[in-house]
Amino acid sequence: MELLERFGWPDEDILDLGDISHSRGTESITMMRGRTPEQKEALIAQLSQAAAKHLDWPLEEVRVAIYEIGEYEWGIGGRSVAARRNDARSH
């Protein structure tokens, strides 16, 4: 995903971009914990600008919510990210 590359985040750390509500100009993001406040600010700014442009909505009316979860709550291929990372470290 271009967004992950732009922020330099690992491929397995997938962001879940929620549906944008056309009536309210809101967007939600679910991602694993571990980002700095500066990274979150940059993400909010870029997503807000993209949503405003895509929806033809005033930037001041765009809302972004970030929901963070731990590596034990994020699964890929039937296993938690924590288990996958532990396996990678042991090999």
Side-chain angles (χ1 to χ4, degrees):
M1 173 185 278
E2 180 181 329
L3 186 61
L4 291 176
E5 292 171 5
R6 181 178 299 167
F7 284 93
W9 296 349
D11 289 341
E12 71 177 12
D13 192 3
I14 299 170
L15 299 176
D16 177 24
L17 301 177
D19 292 331
I20 298 173
S21 169
H22 293 278
S23 61
R24 296 185 187 246
T26 60
E27 185 169 359
S28 66
I29 304 137
T30 302
M31 63 184 183
M32 283 195 304
R33 288 184 191 105
R35 302 296 170 265
T36 66
E38 294 80 14
Q39 287 173 313
K40 292 176 194 175
E41 287 291 332
L43 179 63
I44 289 169
Q46 290 186 20
L47 288 174
S48 296
Q49 291 171 7
K53 181 178 178 181
H54 173 75
L55 299 174
D56 193 26
W57 197 264
L59 180 62
E60 297 77 24
E61 297 296 323
V62 174
R63 306 291 184 258
V64 174
I66 297 175
Y67 301 98
E68 294 181 296
I69 58 174
E71 61 183 14
Y72 286 97
E73 292 79 32
W74 194 274
I76 300 171
R79 302 185 64 228
S80 72
V81 169
R84 293 167 56 96
R85 287 181 177 169
N86 286 337
D87 285 351
R89 288 184 197 125
S90 65
H91 288 102

